[in-house]
Amino acid sequence: MHPQLALPPSPSAPRGRSSAGDLIGLLVRLVVLFCLLAPTLAPAATETEPPSTAAPDMAPGLAGTSVNVPGAGEADLMLMNRMVVRFRSSLLGLPATLRAERGRRNLAHILAQGGDDEVTVQPDPMGSIFLVGGQMAFVLTRDDVDRLGGESLDSLTRKTVANLRTVIAESRESRNSQALARGLLVSAAATLVLLILTLGLTRLRHWIGSRLLAAIEQQAERLKLGGTELIRRDRILAATGWLLNAGYWLLVLLLAYAWLGFVLARFPFTRAWGEQLNGYLLGMVLDLGRSIITTLPNLFIVAIMFLLARGVVGLLKPLFDHVARGNSGIGWLDRDTVEPTRKIANILIWIFALVMAYPYLPGSHTEAFKGMSVLVGLMISLGASSVVGQGASGLILMYSRTLRTGEYVRIGEHEGTIVNISLFTTRLRTGRGAEITLPNALIVGSATRNYSRTVSGEGFMVDTSVTIGYDTPWRQVEAMLIAAAGRTPGILTTPPPRVFQTALSDYYPEYCLVAQALPTGAYPRAEVVSRLHANIQDVFNEHGVQIMSPHYMGDPASDKIVPREKWYAPPAREPEA
């Protein structure tokens, strides 16, 4: 027996966590776990032979061999944790399990003698007799052949001879101290390479993390709307750090897996386990590569479809750009409808390309892919009803040309210049330093007053109302309102301003001044209206007319009428006869 090695903890070892320490701990756990699971990989035979006093001692390195029983009526002859042959029938009353156990003992006895270990096969009416160093090891019969797999006795014999020679060579190597020393040196070198690669991955992770942190800090400033972060920076950093750590530990586990398989393959007793680990990893890589190669033609077709879609979008772009510049329209397509039409056309083209490419996507015919498609469709149908309504309202506004960018409108209680009409919202900018965002569904369901649509040429309409008592000549009031409009910058003289008497109330008539103004900025109407109100006050004060609506509690002392000689009080002018 080998002496146990005790590794006392070092008092000078640092308590802080390090990548090398984590890796060593991980490797120790993997080795311990593998050793714990090793008996399950090669359990002993369920049926044992009665104890025999003539059983020889086993050769060094063979004490851990055992028999793996794959199923009822079958048994594997295992030596050095490697299968030599599978017995599928009984022989002379001995079941398969006892045949395997006796064969193992015979081989162990022969190899323990240390003499000639040449493998020979002697034909026999029962089958094939296997001799090692001239001594019988076991017998194969025709019933041991896997007939369903198309195996014959000759092919089974050749395969068994190859397995037996491999096992004998490994058994000989297990008794060679120089071979074991070489295995230890190679394992130590592999461990050193693993530590170097892990340290390199750790530094690479820190370097990539610092670069990503700087890039996120730089890009986060651009992902702001009105000074508000659209995506929280700490969330981006957390997600990026998680992905980076996941990739790092995945690579570390792959390196540890490859290291474990390589080290186990350096020693005869565990070489079969190492070959199984390496074979599994290699098989997984080969399967992945085979799957990628198989899907390359379909991916090529998908790429062609998307390139065709991109080409069609590129062909339509000059047409849309020409209309967007205002050079000319094509039927119903003009500057007001070209942008939504461009977006709708591009979306439809890409959706058509996706639908055509869907059957060629890897995994599109699997049940998981179909279930995910159904789930996404259900989520969209349940959660997108309001979004679809808003989008439909936006299309109605755009294609009905109810509103245009730059027009001055009043929607409900909101008034301002339209600065943008999108698929879901419309933005108004007032003259008082505010920007209002209205849902398109609200606009479609509300009455809209457009002050820019009825003017000839550019500009918008300005209107204001005043109420003056009946004792003030209406001609004088109209003349004063028109004079105030003439003094206001931005109000056009052609067409001339007009005054309408919109109501004859109990105590006063109501006058409405309507004029056309020329836009002089992004929010001119509020300034024009403010200046017009100031000029109206100045003109009325100059002519001694109070802007006051009388309310009577009783009959006045004199009739509130205007004598004929005062009908044309200044600044009103009597028309020439």
Side-chain angles (χ1 to χ4, degrees):
M1 296 178 63
H2 297 287
Q4 296 182 353
L5 298 178
L7 298 177
S10 175
S12 60
R15 296 184 180 181
R17 298 180 62 185
S18 62
S19 299
D22 293 343
L23 177 62
I24 293 175
L26 177 63
L27 296 179
V28 171
R29 293 187 184 95
L30 287 176
V31 172
V32 172
L33 179 63
F34 194 85
C35 292
L36 292 175
L37 294 178
T40 63
L41 297 177
T46 54
E47 299 181 17
T48 58
E49 185 183 15
S52 174
T53 56
D57 295 334
M58 296 183 183
L62 301 179
T65 55
S66 58
V67 178
N68 178 26
V69 182
E74 296 181 352
D76 290 342
L77 172 57
M78 303 289 296
L79 200 66
M80 302 295 295
N81 292 315
R82 190 183 298 275
M83 187 182 76
V84 178
V85 68
R86 172 166 295 177
F87 295 107
R88 292 184 169 86
S89 64
S90 59
L91 178 64
L92 300 178
L94 291 178
T97 53
L98 293 182
R99 291 177 62 195
E101 180 65 18
R102 285 196 175 184
R104 182 188 66 80
R105 291 185 178 182
N106 291 339
L107 288 174
H109 173 70
I110 295 171
L111 295 178
Q113 295 175 357
D116 183 19
D117 53 9
E118 181 183 358
V119 179
T120 57
V121 179
Q122 179 178 338
D124 188 83
M126 292 186 302
S128 299
I129 301 176
F130 284 80
L131 306 174
V132 177
Q135 303 182 45
M136 188 183 73
F138 55 87
V139 179
L140 283 182
T141 66
R142 300 184 184 277
D143 294 333
D144 295 324
V145 176
D146 184 11
R147 294 185 177 85
L148 295 178
E151 194 177 40
S152 63
L153 181 60
D154 292 338
S155 61
L156 177 60
T157 301
R158 288 192 297 270
K159 184 170 67 174
T160 304
V161 169
N163 294 339
L164 190 56
R165 287 173 178 172
T166 300
V167 168
I168 293 174
E170 290 178 349
S171 174
R172 189 186 308 116
E173 184 182 354
S174 67
R175 297 188 297 271
N176 189 338
S177 59
Q178 294 182 356
L180 295 177
R182 285 195 301 269
L184 289 174
L185 290 176
V186 173
S187 300
T191 304
L192 181 60
V193 171
L194 175 64
L195 292 175
I196 294 174
L197 291 177
T198 304
L199 291 176
L201 284 176
T202 303
R203 295 196 174 188
L204 180 63
R205 179 183 64 169
H206 292 328
W207 182 79
I208 295 177
S210 60
R211 291 298 182 93
L212 287 177
L213 179 62
I216 290 172
E217 292 289 343
Q218 182 179 1
Q219 296 295 330
E221 297 297 330
R222 301 181 182 179
L223 297 177
K224 288 186 176 181
L225 181 61
T228 304
E229 292 185 353
L230 297 179
I231 302 178
R232 293 180 56 181
R233 188 177 309 178
D234 55 344
R235 298 290 179 84
I236 300 178
L237 292 175
T240 305
W242 186 88
L243 291 176
L244 188 61
N245 290 331
Y248 167 77
W249 284 110
L250 177 62
L251 293 177
V252 169
L253 288 176
L254 287 176
L255 288 176
Y257 185 94
W259 170 86
L260 183 60
F262 180 81
V263 170
L264 291 177
R266 297 309 99 198
F267 302 98
F269 187 74
T270 59
R271 185 167 297 158
W273 296 343
E275 292 175 356
Q276 290 176 9
L277 291 177
N278 295 332
Y280 178 77
L281 182 61
L282 182 61
M284 185 173 59
V285 173
L286 291 178
D287 289 341
L288 181 61
R290 200 178 300 112
S291 300
I292 293 176
I293 294 175
T294 304
T295 58
L296 281 179
N298 292 338
L299 293 177
F300 180 72
I301 296 176
V302 172
I304 290 178
M305 291 183 179
F306 283 118
L307 287 176
L308 289 175
R310 184 176 180 181
V312 174
V313 171
L315 288 176
L316 294 177
K317 186 177 183 298
L319 173 64
F320 291 135
D321 292 341
H322 177 78
V323 177
R325 287 192 294 267
N327 296 331
S328 61
I330 304 176
W332 52 270
L333 187 63
D334 54 17
R335 293 185 62 180
D336 298 322
T337 58
V338 64
E339 288 304 325
T341 304
R342 184 204 301 266
K343 295 177 181 178
I344 293 174
N346 291 345
I347 291 174
L348 291 178
I349 291 172
W350 285 111
I351 289 178
F352 179 78
L354 181 61
V355 171
M356 296 299 296
Y358 178 84
Y360 299 96
L361 294 176
S364 59
H365 299 289
T366 61
E367 296 299 328
F369 206 104
K370 295 177 182 177
M372 183 60 66
S373 303
V374 174
L375 178 62
V376 172
L378 182 62
M379 293 172 61
I380 292 176
S381 61
L382 293 178
S385 58
S386 60
V387 176
V388 173
Q390 294 288 350
S393 300
L395 295 178
I396 292 173
L397 291 178
M398 295 173 186
Y399 284 98
S400 64
R401 299 172 177 84
T402 303
L403 304 175
R404 290 190 177 96
T405 302
E407 293 182 339
Y408 197 93
V409 297
R410 182 177 182 86
I411 303 172
E413 60 181 7
H414 306 289
E415 184 176 312
T417 303
I418 298 176
V419 295
N420 178 260
I421 303 176
S422 64
L423 189 62
F424 301 107
T425 60
T426 297
R427 291 189 289 121
L428 304 179
R429 185 174 295 170
T430 68
R432 296 181 290 275
E435 187 171 282
I436 303 173
T437 302
L438 300 176
N440 288 335
L442 175 64
I443 299 175
V444 172
S446 304
T448 302
R449 178 179 296 181
N450 196 320
Y451 294 98
S452 303
R453 191 64 61 87
T454 58
V455 300
S456 56
E458 295 184 350
F460 50 84
M461 301 303 297
V462 175
D463 61 342
T464 186
S465 300
V466 295
T467 55
I468 308 297
Y470 285 104
D471 54 352
T472 302
W474 62 266
R475 296 176 181 85
Q476 182 185 22
V477 175
E478 290 185 0
M480 288 188 293
L481 290 174
I482 293 175
R487 294 184 184 183
T488 304
I491 292 183
L492 303 179
T493 57
T494 303
R498 300 183 61 185
V499 178
F500 299 92
Q501 297 187 38
T502 57
L504 297 175
S505 302
D506 292 340
Y507 308 124
Y508 46 80
E510 182 176 345
Y511 302 90
C512 181
L513 172 63
V514 180
Q516 181 175 342
L518 187 67
T520 57
Y523 42 86
R525 193 174 187 276
E527 295 181 357
V528 173
V529 172
S530 177
R531 293 173 182 175
L532 177 60
H533 289 167
N535 290 329
I536 289 175
Q537 295 178 64
D538 291 341
V539 173
F540 274 62
N541 289 333
E542 291 172 3
H543 293 86
V545 177
Q546 298 181 9
I547 303 179
M548 184 180 294
S549 302
H551 288 73
Y552 299 101
M553 304 301 296
D555 292 333
S558 59
D559 296 335
K560 296 300 180 180
I561 60 174
V562 179
R564 187 177 183 85
E565 61 272 11
K566 295 183 179 181
W567 282 5
Y568 297 99
R573 297 181 181 179
E574 185 176 357
E576 297 179 358

